Amino acid sequence: MRVEIWSDIACPWCYVGKARFEKALAAFPHRAQVEVVHRSFELDPTRAKGDTGLVLPMLAAKYGMSEAQAQAAEDNLGANAAAEGLEYRTEGRDHGSTFDMHRLLHLAKERGRQDELIGLLYRANFAEERSVFDDDERLVELAVAAGLDADAARAVLADPAAYADEVRADEREAAELGATGVPFFVLDRTYGVSGAQPAEVFTQALTQAWGDRSPLTLIQEPGGAAEVCGPDGCAVPQN
């Protein structure tokens, strides 16, 4: 079974939702047969690289609230994160374009290190002081920590076209699936879960999606199967 997760590194509920999903997945009896793929979704795809700012003033302006109210919202998010065992800085965080991070995540997907990288990016953005938005070398360091080659990561960051089509394709697909926000979880292209739901909801979704998988129907010539090759060799035609 495949689970696809559309998310953005700038999304705090994606950070929390990933932890809740993983709690459900860890207890799922068929965990070894579940493939998890992370898909790109930028909350602000028009954001230019280098355009950074502090989170609290952004929240206040975006939602028409005071900075004190924005701080209260961040404190609430911090409490939700802490409940999942996550660190979360409620003050002093910045925000900016996540396009380069999504491009690196596609490189990581090719190398089998996607989950490692997205976890490090989340932690760096939400729990650590050093910004992930204003220094390419910071992203290179995180890529290396995830098991990627430093030169390969630098090459992607130096070429704005590298994996750009893959990021945009993910975003188009999210729109086609009806996702207007993230996190957005799609199980076997049959069930969708929107938002950072409790772990119990993810458990229910995994169980239902697993149970509803259609069994394979074989189509063959009446009276028997055709010759096949298997681990023990190939069938020998009999005259």
Side-chain angles (χ1 to χ4, degrees):
M1 183 168 69
R2 169 179 280 200
V3 178
E4 297 163 278
I5 307 173
W6 273 265
S7 60
D8 192 10
I9 302 304
C11 164
W13 288 116
C14 295
Y15 180 45
V16 173
K18 181 176 185 291
R20 291 175 177 173
F21 170 75
E22 288 176 346
K23 183 182 294 184
L25 186 61
F28 187 56
H30 309 288
R31 167 66 186 93
Q33 294 167 270
V34 178
E35 176 192 14
V36 178
V37 178
H38 296 281
R39 301 289 193 190
S40 301
F41 189 109
E42 295 169 276
L43 292 175
D44 187 357
T46 64
R47 192 73 173 266
K49 182 173 181 175
D51 178 12
T52 62
L54 292 175
V55 167
L56 288 183
M58 178 274 292
L59 291 175
K62 184 174 182 177
Y63 297 108
M65 60 174 71
S66 67
E67 287 202 20
Q69 290 172 315
Q71 182 63 66
E74 280 290 277
D75 290 341
N76 178 58
L77 270 164
N80 275 273
E84 304 304 329
L86 302 172
E87 295 182 44
Y88 189 96
R89 293 178 64 229
T90 59
E91 298 180 13
R93 287 194 305 107
D94 64 350
H95 63 103
S97 171
T98 57
F99 185 57
D100 282 351
M101 297 179 217
H102 286 295
R103 296 194 301 116
L104 281 176
L105 283 166
H106 277 279
L107 169 68
K109 179 185 174 185
E110 285 188 353
R111 309 295 167 86
R113 309 301 295 175
Q114 192 184 43
D115 194 66
E116 289 80 1
L117 180 56
I118 198 168
L120 288 168
L121 288 169
Y122 277 138
R123 178 176 174 78
N125 184 38
F126 292 109
E128 299 174 2
E129 291 188 14
R130 188 176 170 190
S131 175
V132 294
F133 297 105
D134 61 0
D135 182 3
D136 281 356
E137 280 304 303
R138 174 61 167 151
L139 296 182
V140 171
E141 289 173 11
L142 293 169
V144 170
L148 298 177
D149 177 74
D151 289 339
R154 287 192 185 96
V156 169
L157 293 172
D159 179 6
Y163 299 102
D165 289 345
E166 288 82 349
V167 174
R168 298 307 181 210
D170 277 358
E171 293 172 339
R172 284 193 302 272
E173 196 164 11
E176 291 167 1
L177 290 170
T180 58
V182 285
F184 188 70
F185 301 77
V186 177
L187 293 78
D188 260 359
R189 290 300 171 107
T190 303
Y191 294 96
V193 178
S194 180
Q197 299 285 347
E200 295 77 13
V201 173
F202 290 118
T203 297
Q204 178 185 349
L206 287 165
T207 302
Q208 188 164 344
W210 183 268
D212 286 354
R213 291 176 308 144
S214 298
L216 185 68
T217 300
L218 290 175
I219 299 175
Q220 60 188 28
E221 181 182 10
E227 293 80 3
V228 297
C229 291
D232 298 325
C234 297
V236 177
Q238 301 296 319
N239 293 327

